Amino acid sequence: MRGLFFFLFSLFCFSAFAQKPMVKAEIDTTNIRIGEQFNLKISVDEIQNVIIPKLQLKGLEIIDSTATDTLKNSLIRKYILTGFDSGAFYIPQQQIFVKNQAYLTDSLLVNVATVAVDTTKVKKFPIKSIKSEPYTFDDFKIYIYIVLAALAIIAFWIYWFVIRKRKEEEEEPTYRALPPYEEAIYRLNELDEKQLWQNNQTKEYYSELTEIVRGYIERELNVPALEKTTDEVLDMLKDFKDADVILTSQETIDKLKSLLREADLVKFAKSKPLAPEIEEDRKDAEDIISNLKPKPIVEEKDKEDGLE
């Protein structure tokens, strides 16, 4: 009975051991030089429900890897590894899952050696001097900005103190004031060219006509004739004539009185003189300007000299 029990137990253990999948990690070399490559192969003797996680390494690097391959009821994955630091590095145990059961591979040791250099066979070169970097815009931009600012200031100075001043001097009026008589005759001719009364602008015509006459009196006799009323202008001329300080006739003063009265009627009473009357007033205005003048001081002195 004991023998039968021992036989069944051994058979069960053997069966359980036989069903355990085998996972294995292999490398084709354990010694490399820096930068050399070697191969790692992980194999599992099972193809159903097998998971090979991402390879975990320390000090070594993966160059390439192949897809999982099936060969004789086994799964195989290959990796190409290398190392760039000298020393001994372990490929740690890798955890493989088979039918949701974790299995571990063996850890593997890889020695990475440096490459010996024979300095006696290496050609020596002299130490090179420091090479200067090429110039860029940033190296000169501060100087460019300073130059541009200086040019802008100079241009502004030239414009403000030279060109602008010269332009103002050129724009200054270069005309000379005409004598009172010449100015009045000139303005009368301008008034004729406007043809105001011919275009039913009689009020504007008389306003400008009397303004010309008053302006002449103001300039010629040095009195504010433009600011005075008609009666004030006539009284002032009467006083001048009585004082014998102007050269004119009573007829000229009467023409002035008639012209100013007519202008007042046109401007304020809306009177509308006929064309012959307007032409006559224009002629009277020119006669007034021609015959109304101040008495020369030189003549007064000559008279005094004659009396002596």
Side-chain angles (χ1 to χ4, degrees):
M1 187 65 181
R2 182 181 297 178
L4 179 61
F5 177 77
F6 179 77
F7 174 77
L8 294 175
F9 177 77
S10 299
L11 182 63
F12 176 78
C13 291
F14 177 78
S15 177
F17 179 78
Q19 292 178 358
K20 180 181 178 180
M22 182 181 293
V23 295
K24 184 168 59 175
E26 301 174 285
I27 55 176
D28 58 357
T29 182
T30 58
N31 296 285
I32 64 170
R33 289 177 296 185
I34 291 176
E36 285 185 340
Q37 299 177 359
F38 65 97
N39 297 314
L40 167 66
K41 182 175 72 172
I42 296 178
S43 59
V44 182
D45 61 350
E46 179 63 56
I47 60 174
Q48 299 294 330
N49 298 325
V50 178
I51 298 175
I52 301 176
K54 183 179 179 181
L55 191 62
Q56 302 294 327
L57 298 175
K58 294 182 180 179
L60 300 173
E61 296 185 17
I62 300 174
I63 302 300
D64 196 7
S65 64
T66 63
T68 304
D69 190 17
T70 303
L71 181 64
K72 294 181 180 180
N73 295 325
S74 296
L75 293 180
I76 298 174
R77 177 172 290 181
K78 296 180 180 180
Y79 301 89
I80 300 175
L81 308 179
T82 188
F84 295 104
D85 293 323
S86 60
F89 301 97
Y90 276 99
I91 299 176
Q93 292 179 317
Q94 304 298 312
Q95 193 174 50
I96 310 299
F97 293 92
V98 180
K99 297 180 180 179
N100 297 326
Q101 183 68 36
Y103 298 91
L104 297 175
T105 65
D106 295 332
S107 62
L108 303 170
L109 179 64
V110 179
N111 294 306
V112 182
T114 59
V115 179
V117 179
D118 188 356
T119 58
T120 61
K121 296 181 180 180
V122 177
K123 186 177 180 180
K124 296 181 180 180
F125 298 92
I127 299 174
K128 294 183 179 181
S129 59
I130 299 175
K131 187 178 180 180
S132 59
E133 296 183 357
Y135 292 111
T136 62
F137 174 76
D138 291 338
D139 297 327
F140 301 98
K141 65 180 182 180
I142 184 64
Y143 303 104
I144 294 175
Y145 293 154
I146 293 174
V147 171
L148 291 177
L151 291 176
I153 293 173
I154 294 173
F156 175 78
W157 184 88
I158 292 175
Y159 169 77
W160 189 261
F161 294 101
V162 179
I163 298 177
R164 179 175 169 272
K165 186 176 181 181
R166 184 181 301 170
K167 187 177 179 181
E168 288 179 351
E169 291 177 352
E170 291 176 354
E171 291 178 352
E172 288 181 357
T174 56
Y175 63 85
R176 64 180 181 86
L178 294 174
Y181 174 77
E182 294 180 12
E183 180 186 5
I185 297 300
Y186 177 79
R187 291 187 63 188
L188 285 176
N189 293 331
E190 280 189 331
L191 179 61
D192 294 338
E193 293 176 358
K194 292 180 181 179
Q195 295 186 346
L196 294 178
W197 67 268
Q198 292 90 336
N199 292 290
N200 297 321
Q201 299 181 42
T202 308
K203 180 178 179 180
E204 289 79 1
Y205 176 81
Y206 273 92
S207 293
E208 191 166 341
L209 181 65
T210 54
E211 181 183 348
I212 294 172
V213 175
R214 285 171 175 269
Y216 167 77
I217 296 172
E218 182 167 302
R219 288 195 61 198
E220 190 67 52
L221 302 182
N222 293 319
V223 292
L226 291 170
E227 301 174 2
K228 293 184 177 295
T229 63
T230 298
D231 292 337
E232 289 175 341
V233 171
L234 296 173
D235 291 341
M236 177 182 60
L237 291 179
K238 182 177 181 300
D239 294 339
F240 285 167
K241 189 174 187 323
D242 293 341
D244 198 22
V245 294
I246 58 174
L247 294 175
T248 188
S249 63
Q250 186 61 42
E251 182 183 0
T252 300
I253 294 177
D254 292 339
K255 287 182 179 181
L256 176 61
K257 180 179 179 180
S258 176
L259 175 62
L260 295 179
R261 299 289 188 197
E262 184 67 29
D264 289 341
L265 291 174
V266 173
K267 290 187 290 183
F268 304 114
K270 297 182 181 181
S271 174
K272 294 183 179 181
L274 300 176
E277 296 174 333
I278 297 175
E279 293 175 353
E280 185 66 24
D281 288 336
R282 164 65 176 82
K283 183 176 178 298
D284 289 345
E286 188 169 347
D287 290 341
I288 294 168
I289 293 171
S290 300
N291 297 306
L292 181 59
K293 298 183 182 301
K295 197 169 187 178
I297 299 177
V298 177
E299 292 183 2
E300 295 292 334
K301 291 183 177 179
D302 291 341
K303 187 184 291 186
E304 292 177 359
D305 292 339
L307 292 174
E308 291 179 357

